[in-house]
Each structure stands twice: as C-alpha cells, then as structure tokens.
C-alpha cells in the first residue's frame, strides 16, 4: 500500500507540471498567432491589403443573394458569383486574369456547345435523346481530358478546359430532366460574368499586384543574395572561429537561406512568367510582347551560378580543414576575389532594377588582378601542395605502422590456436574470432584506419584549400554566363542605354573575361 501511494504521488507530481505547461501554451497561443500575423504583414504589406480586397469583393457579390431586387433578377444561381470570387481572385493581377479569362471563356464555350446539342436533340424521342447525350458526354469528356496532356494547353489553359468540361456536363445532363435548362444556363453565365468582372476590377484597379514586377524584383534579389552569400562564405572560411562553431551555425545561417532561395526558385519563376504574360504591358509604350521567358532563362543561369555558392559553403563544413596558419597565407587574395565578384553581381542587380543596360566595362580589371594575386600566392607555396620525398616516405612508414598496429590488435589473445597448422584449425580460429568481435567494433576500426591514412599525408593539409581556391576561380569564370544573360535581357526587353561615368570602385578599363585558364592545371606549372 505504501508503495502504491508513493507511486501515485509521483504520478500526480508528473501530471501537474504537464497540465501547467499545457495551460501556459494555451494562454500564449493567441499572442503567438497575433505576433505571426504581424510579422507576415510587416514582411509584405500587400498581404493584408489583398485580404481586405477579397473580403470586400465577397461582401459586394453577396448582395446578389441578400438584396431582394437583385435576387429576383439573378435567382438561385447567384451563389455561383460567390464561388467565382473565391476561386478566381488571386494575389497578383496576372493570376486573376489567367483564371478569370479561362473561367469565363470556358463557361461561354461550354454553354454554346450545350445549347447546340440541345437544339439538335429537342425533337427526338426520349430514348434517342438519352443515347445522344451519353455519347456527347463521352466524346467531349475524353477529348478534353486528352487535350490536357498537351504541354501548351496544360501550361496556359488547363483551368479553362476543366471549367469547360464541368459546365458542359452540368448543362447537358441537366437538360434531360429540367425543362428550363436554358434559363438556368443564362443565369449561371451572368453570375459567373459578374464574379469575374468584379475580380478583374479589384485586381487591376484597386492596389494591383503585378506578377511581372514580382518576377523582375526577384531577379534583382537573387543577384544580391548571391553576392552576399559568396562574399560571406569566403569571409567565414578565413575567420578565426573554430570549425565546429561554423558547422553548428551553418544550418541557421541567413546566408544558407539566401542561396537556398535562389536554388528553389525554378517553379516560382515559371509561374510568375506565365501569369505576367497575361498582364497588360506596363513598362514601355511599345506594343511588342514583353520577354518574360528571358527572366526564366536568367533564373536558370543564376541557379547554375548558385551551386558554386553551395560548394563554397560546403568547404566550411568539410571534415578535413586546412590549418589556420596555411589559410592565413591566402586570406587577402581570396577575400579580394570574392569582393570583386560581389561587386559585379551588385552592378548587374542595379542594372536590372533601374531597367538600364549594363556598363560596357562591368567586368573590371580589379577582378583579373585579384585572380593573378591568388595565382601568385599559390605558386609561392609549392611545398604545401607537393611535399618533399623524405616527408612522403615518413608518411608511408606511419601508415604502415598504423596498419601493423591494427593487425596486431586483431591477433592478440589467440596464441594457443597458432599451434594447429591444418586447414580445419584455421577455419575454427576464424569462426571463433568472428563470434568474439562484435559488429559495432568492426565498424569502428574502418573509419579509424582511414582517418589515420588521410591525416598522415602532408598534402591533405593543403588539399581542402586547393578545392576552395578552385571553386572560387570557377565562380569568377561563371560570371561571364550571368553577364551575357543580363545583357541579352536588356537588349530584348528594350532597357535604356547605360549613361554616366563608370564607377571607379568597380570599373576601370576594358574587360578581359576570366576563365579557368588563368590558373594552371597544377600549382607548380
């Protein structure tokens, strides 16, 4: 009894803190929700404005059902206007135009086809009419579904085909049992037209949000994020902080989120470009179609460029790190290369933001000089990358000694079995050792031996930095692809010509595009 009482008290003592924690979470829940809502609105003020626009649109369209005169003119189908507003009214004007026009055009085509079929079968018998309707539904349903597999239809008009198929089946099948189906179809078309018209007015005239502007600004943000990521990765590589501290902070580092956002932007870019193609031309008096797909191509190039930032960031998390003393020898030229790369990316971002052509000398001689300085610094330290023959021989002896120690540890404690020399005794000894050594012990030996081999080689100290320097040079070389895409975007989109004197901090003389040929294949060449 005493034991039960004690255990009950302990159980009660454990339940009470949990109940208190739950009560505290319930009390803090409204505050956390309000804080999260405030942060969302502060990050993008357009979000609360869009929410108010949707609420106002639903209130206005509900008057069709709530007001007696409007309800008598429209009828029960006024609820379709409410459904249309909920489905069609999107965050950007391009998305609303795409869905609204698809919905309206699909409804109109479906109603016209349904009226045509009704006109054909209205004088036929009831059985023939049912057969004709069934065959029509089958053919139209199969045809529309197959059309949705075409890439162009799926990309631009998938929603319209779905609405066409839905409306056609509702009208055609209902006409078999309802006499005034034409009146119902007319009312449905009117209500959907009212809902779509209200959505277009709210999207285009009341604080409009343009998909084209979002796509344009996202390219500027990507270039700036890549510039910040690359410069921060190089600076972090030469910091005095311990590598374990860098690893712990890498997953929460805002730099990680910056280049991650660039790599994950493919679907967003394609969606924004699609919706922007439905929007009216805003940035020029010319009537030609704005090349939104060129932004998608630029985004593809930026994602390829962003992988170099991922690789540079991975050097900070490598298991084998170059000693601080070795890294310090190449700190200044590496930081200078990263700074010049960041300057070029910032200049490209500014040119897109201002819708002007790039400076004719956007790729400056400062970057070339920084690359040459890094090349000279690597050539001045040949022993770090090659090592002497004597040291290599010593390293090989150390590796052999480590392997011998591992083997001697395995053979310890089995001297009695060594007396037997026949094959059966050897098999018995192997079977006994397999039983003695557990799987966990055998798994520990392999990485231990491999780490001894790796750390005993002298070139492993400079090998991580060699990879880091190679990636840094690759980053500078890939700038040419980014510059070409930005120049092509400015040419096709009709950006204004560059005006003004070059920035002395970024631009000096005529450029020479850096490539991997600036560095020899081997540090000693």
């Amino acid at each position: 009894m005493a034991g039960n009482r004690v255990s009950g008290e302990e159980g009660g003592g454990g339940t009470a803190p949990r109940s208190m924690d739950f009560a505290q979470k319930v009390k803090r829940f409204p505050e956390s929700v309000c804080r999260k809502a405030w942060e969302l609105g502060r990050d993008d003020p357009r979000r609360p404005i869009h929410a108010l626009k949707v609420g106002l649109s639903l209130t206005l369209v509900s008057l069709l059902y709530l007001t007696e005169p409007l309800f008598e003119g429209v009828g029960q189908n006024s609820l379709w206007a409410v459904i249309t507003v909920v489905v069609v009214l999107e965050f950007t004007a391009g998305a609303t135009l795409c869905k609204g026009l698809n919905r309206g055009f699909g409804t109109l085509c479906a109603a016209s086809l349904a009226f045509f079929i009704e006109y054909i079968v209205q004088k036929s018998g009831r059985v023939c009419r049912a057969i004709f309707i069934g065959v029509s539904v089958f053919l139209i349903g199969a045809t529309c579904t197959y059309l949705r597999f075409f890439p162009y239809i799926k990309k631009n008009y998938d929603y319209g085909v779905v609405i066409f198929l839905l409306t056609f089946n509702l009208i055609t099948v209902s006409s078999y049992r309802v006499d005034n189906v034409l009146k119902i179809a007319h009312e449905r078309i009117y209500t959907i037209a009212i809902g779509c018209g209200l959505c277009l007015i709210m999207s285009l005239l009341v604080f409009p949000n343009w998909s084209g502007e979002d796509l344009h600004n996202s390219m500027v943000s990507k270039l700036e994020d890549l510039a910040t990521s690359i410069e921060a990765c190089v600076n972090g590589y030469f910091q005095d902080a311990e590598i374990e501290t860098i690893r712990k902070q890498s997953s929460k580092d805002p730099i990680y989120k910056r280049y991650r956002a660039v790599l994950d932007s493919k679907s967003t870019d394609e969606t924004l470009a699609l919706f922007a193609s439905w929007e009216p031309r805003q940035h020029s008096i010319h009537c030609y179609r704005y090349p939104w797909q060129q932004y998608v191509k630029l985004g593809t190039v930026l994602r390829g460029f962003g992988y170099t930032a991922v690789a540079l960031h991975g050097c900070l998390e490598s298991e084998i790190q170059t000693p601080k003393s070795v890294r310090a020898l190449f700190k200044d030229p590496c930081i200078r290369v990263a700074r010049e790369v960041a300057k070029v990316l910032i200049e490209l971002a500014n040119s897109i933001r201002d819708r002007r052509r790039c400076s004719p000398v956007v790729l400056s001689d400062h970057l070339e000089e920084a690359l040459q300085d890094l090349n000279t610094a690597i050539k001045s330290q040949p022993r770090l990358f090659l090592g002497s023959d004597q040291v290599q021989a010593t390293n090989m002896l150390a590796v052999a000694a480590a392997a011998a120690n591992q083997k001697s540890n395995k053979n310890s404690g089995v001297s009695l079995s060594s007396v037997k020399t026949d094959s059966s005794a050897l098999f018995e000894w192997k079977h006994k050792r397999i039983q003695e050594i557990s799987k966990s012990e055998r798994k520990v030996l392999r990485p231990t031996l491999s780490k001894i081999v790796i750390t005993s080689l002298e070139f492993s100290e400079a090998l991580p930095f060699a990879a880091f320097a190679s990636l840094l040079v690759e980053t500078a070389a890939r700038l040419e692809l980014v510059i070409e895409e930005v120049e092509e975007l400015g040419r096709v989109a009709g950006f204004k010509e560059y005006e003004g004197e070059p920035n002395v901090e970024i631009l000096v003389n005529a450029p020479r595009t850096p490539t991997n040929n600036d560095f020899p294949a081997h540090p000693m060449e």
Side-chain angles (χ1 to χ4, degrees):
M1 294 178 61
N4 293 335
R5 184 167 57 252
V6 171
S7 62
E9 291 175 357
E10 291 178 354
T15 305
R18 286 196 296 268
S19 301
M20 294 178 63
D21 293 341
F22 180 75
Q24 292 294 331
K25 290 181 179 179
V26 172
K27 291 180 180 179
R28 291 194 298 265
F29 180 73
E31 181 181 356
S32 63
V33 172
C34 293
R35 186 184 301 109
K36 184 64 176 179
W38 174 261
E39 291 177 356
L40 287 174
R42 183 183 58 186
D43 294 340
D44 192 350
R46 299 179 301 171
R47 293 170 179 169
I49 295 176
H50 176 69
L52 295 176
K53 288 164 59 176
V54 174
L56 179 60
S57 300
L58 290 174
T59 302
L60 294 176
V61 80
S62 298
L63 297 178
L64 296 175
Y65 202 85
L66 300 177
T67 307
E68 192 67 26
L70 296 177
F71 179 76
E72 292 178 356
V74 179
Q76 294 285 346
N77 288 296
S78 59
L79 288 177
W80 282 93
V82 179
I83 297 174
T84 301
V85 171
V86 173
V87 174
V88 172
L89 189 54
E90 295 288 343
F91 182 72
T92 61
T96 303
L97 279 166
C98 179
K99 299 189 73 173
L101 295 179
N102 270 276
R103 187 178 182 87
F105 189 71
T107 302
L108 183 61
C109 292
S112 301
L113 184 59
F115 294 161
F116 178 73
I117 293 176
E118 178 67 17
Y119 177 77
I120 293 176
V121 302
Q122 62 181 353
K123 295 182 180 180
S124 61
R126 194 167 184 82
V127 177
C128 294
R129 185 179 184 183
I131 294 175
F132 191 83
I133 290 176
V135 173
S136 301
V137 169
F138 171 76
L139 293 177
I140 297 298
T143 303
C144 291
T145 303
Y146 192 75
L147 284 175
R148 295 180 63 190
F149 290 107
F150 285 84
Y152 182 77
I153 298 295
K154 186 175 183 61
K155 180 180 178 181
N156 296 279
Y157 306 107
D158 185 71
Y159 183 69
V161 174
V162 172
I163 295 300
F164 171 83
L165 187 60
L166 175 63
T167 306
F168 174 79
N169 282 273
L170 289 176
I171 297 176
T172 304
V173 176
S174 300
S175 64
Y176 186 75
R177 297 290 183 182
V178 180
D179 295 333
N180 59 345
V181 65
L182 297 180
K183 180 180 178 182
I184 296 175
H186 283 132
E187 291 177 351
R188 187 165 297 174
I189 293 175
Y190 295 154
T191 53
I192 291 177
I194 292 173
C196 290
L198 181 60
C199 291
L200 295 179
I201 291 174
M202 298 298 292
S203 296
L204 298 176
L205 302 180
V206 181
F207 299 104
N209 301 320
W210 305 105
S211 299
E213 286 290 335
D214 289 347
L215 181 60
H216 183 88
N217 294 331
S218 69
M219 293 301 160
V220 176
S221 178
K222 288 176 188 177
L223 287 166
E224 293 176 345
D225 290 344
L226 288 174
T228 304
S229 298
I230 291 173
E231 194 170 9
C233 285
V234 175
N235 291 334
Y237 187 78
F238 294 99
Q239 283 181 354
D240 295 332
E242 295 294 333
I243 191 62
E244 293 296 333
T245 304
I246 297 177
R247 287 177 185 170
K248 292 179 181 179
Q249 296 176 353
S250 60
S251 60
K252 301 179 181 179
D253 192 354
I255 303 303
Y256 172 82
K257 297 180 180 179
R258 286 177 182 269
Y259 70 71
R260 191 67 185 176
V262 175
L263 299 180
D264 295 340
S265 62
K266 182 177 184 296
S267 60
T268 303
D269 292 347
E270 294 177 350
T271 302
L272 289 176
L274 172 63
F275 292 152
S277 64
W278 289 83
E279 295 176 351
R281 185 74 170 86
Q282 308 167 51
H283 310 304
S284 175
I285 60 175
H286 302 290
C287 297
Y288 61 84
R289 189 175 182 181
Y290 200 74
W292 296 115
Q293 289 302 320
Q294 194 65 35
Y295 282 89
V296 179
K297 295 180 180 179
L298 176 58
T300 303
V301 174
L302 290 181
R303 282 189 295 274
F305 185 84
Y307 287 118
T308 58
V310 178
L312 288 174
H313 191 264
C315 292
L316 275 68
E317 300 179 335
S318 177
E319 288 290 339
I320 302 175
Q321 292 291 328
T322 304
K324 297 178 183 178
S325 57
V326 177
R327 279 182 283 173
L329 298 174
F330 310 99
K331 178 179 179 179
D332 292 338
C334 287
I335 291 180
R336 186 182 175 191
V337 170
R339 187 184 301 116
E340 296 301 325
V341 170
K343 285 182 179 180
V344 174
L345 292 174
I346 293 297
E347 168 61 21
L348 296 176
N350 292 332
S351 66
I352 296 179
R353 179 187 290 110
D354 300 334
R355 290 187 172 86
R356 60 170 173 83
R357 304 291 293 273
C358 299
S359 171
V361 284
V362 62
L363 199 58
S364 67
D365 285 347
H366 292 292
L367 178 58
E368 181 183 353
E369 294 173 0
L371 289 171
Q372 292 295 341
D373 291 344
L374 178 59
N375 192 19
T376 303
I378 292 176
K379 285 183 176 180
S380 64
Q381 302 293 334
R383 292 183 178 275
L384 293 176
F385 299 92
L386 296 179
S388 62
D389 295 337
Q390 181 180 1
V391 175
Q392 290 180 2
T394 305
N395 291 334
M396 295 303 295
L397 291 175
V399 174
N405 290 334
Q406 295 287 343
K407 188 174 182 180
S408 62
N409 291 333
K410 290 183 179 180
N411 294 332
S412 61
V414 292
S415 58
L416 293 178
S417 300
S418 62
V419 178
K420 301 179 181 179
T421 58
D422 57 343
S423 60
S424 61
L426 181 61
F427 178 81
E428 180 183 354
W429 173 80
K430 289 183 178 180
H431 183 69
K432 183 177 179 181
R433 282 302 290 163
I434 291 173
Q435 292 180 346
E436 290 178 355
I437 301 177
S438 62
K439 294 182 179 180
S440 60
E441 291 175 348
R442 283 184 286 148
K443 289 181 179 180
V444 170
L445 294 177
R446 293 177 181 176
T448 303
L449 181 59
S450 62
K451 182 167 286 190
I452 291 175
V453 174
I454 293 174
T455 55
S456 63
L457 299 176
E458 183 186 1
F459 70 81
S460 64
E461 292 184 351
L463 183 60
F465 174 77
F468 180 82
S470 177
L471 290 171
L472 194 57
V473 176
E474 178 68 17
T475 301
R478 289 196 180 191
L479 271 179
E480 181 181 4
L481 299 176
V482 180
I483 294 173
E484 289 178 356
E485 286 298 326
V486 174
E487 290 179 345
E488 181 66 15
L489 174 62
R491 184 187 66 81
V492 177
F495 287 173
K496 60 184 179 181
E497 294 294 334
Y498 176 79
E499 298 178 358
E501 294 296 329
N503 190 341
V504 295
E505 295 182 358
I506 303 176
L507 314 170
V508 180
N509 298 318
R512 188 181 71 83
T513 303
T515 62
N516 286 333
N517 295 328
D518 290 336
F519 274 62
H522 195 281
M524 287 300 296
E525 292 182 359

